[in-house]
Amino acid sequence: MNIVDKVPEMVNIENVLISVSDKSGIEGFIRELIDINPEVNIFSTGGTYRALEASLADWKGGAFRDNLKSVSDYTGQPEMQGGLVKTLDFRIYLGLLSEPYNDHHAADLRRTDSMYIDMVVVNLYPFAKQVATPGNTLERARSHIDIGGPTMLRASAKNYIRVASVCDPDDYPRLIRELREADGSLSLETRFALAKKTFAHTAAYDAGIIEYLNGCEPDELAAAYQVKPGAWK
């Protein structure tokens, strides 16, 4: 177990990982990040990538389209069919969990040609909204359980000593204000506050799943699926 005794007060935001279901405010947030640091790298997936690609193509003559990177291009792995696996990759989590001032972690990053990831911007598949929808089924609910999103959020929140974990679009304006005032950096105090908010968010998300599943009866399995006898191999 690594026990950290040195942490940076400020962290420059140079590499950002973004995957959001709620895209409100995200295009403006990304443009602000680029305006603050024209060299910032934005890694993204799926629908978020397409939305940001379109936004940057229309902004300042498309001069910053190259700031946007596909996670699949970075990891070298295509998304799993149906988008079930997009960000669960060693290079991603090496970039999220590497600790500051750790020479061994820095060597791992060099060995794999990976990057430190300084900020994660994620909000989750709308599970609560889905289960409240008329006509919801157990299978539709299951399909709205987010895996990669909570994992990215938890990893970045655990490593608040170096990474900013952003789960709420309402935080975008104050983060931009701090970044502008601090020449593109975020403070340890801010990173710690974001981590606390993130763990509360993922805990509430999991609690909603547990509450829903506990309310389901065994006969809902038969209603949702053609249950085939015998073992699947």
Side-chain angles (χ1 to χ4, degrees), residues 11-116:
V11 169
N12 293 326
I13 303 304
E14 298 177 350
N15 298 306
V16 182
L17 178 59
I18 301 179
S19 180
V20 291
S21 291
D22 177 2
K23 296 177 177 55
S24 58
I26 193 62
E27 294 179 13
F29 183 61
I30 295 310
R31 291 181 180 187
E32 294 275 14
L33 288 178
I34 294 173
D35 191 54
I36 293 166
N37 175 12
E39 303 301 318
V40 68
N41 293 306
I42 309 294
F43 296 94
S44 193
T45 64
T48 304
Y49 179 89
R50 291 189 292 274
L52 296 180
E53 184 179 41
S55 176
L56 292 177
D58 295 336
W59 185 56
K60 296 189 177 182
F64 295 99
R65 282 180 294 186
D66 289 344
N67 292 64
L68 180 64
K69 323 285 186 185
S70 164
V71 165
S72 291
D73 288 343
Y74 175 65
T75 63
Q77 297 292 335
E79 295 180 8
M80 180 179 174
Q81 292 298 311
L84 289 174
V85 179
K86 293 180 281 193
T87 56
L88 295 169
D89 183 88
F90 181 80
R91 293 181 74 198
I92 293 292
Y93 286 89
L94 185 60
L96 287 175
L97 292 168
S98 291
E99 295 162 352
Y101 312 118
N102 187 314
D103 292 340
H104 297 292
H105 290 181
D108 284 337
L109 287 162
R110 290 192 299 271
R111 174 177 59 82
T112 58
D113 193 25
S114 301
M115 298 180 181
Y116 290 106

Side-chain angles (χ1 to χ4, degrees), residues 138 212-222:
L138 180 58
Y212 171 76
L213 294 178
N214 281 341
C216 293
E217 300 298 331
D219 59 2
E220 292 185 55
L221 291 168

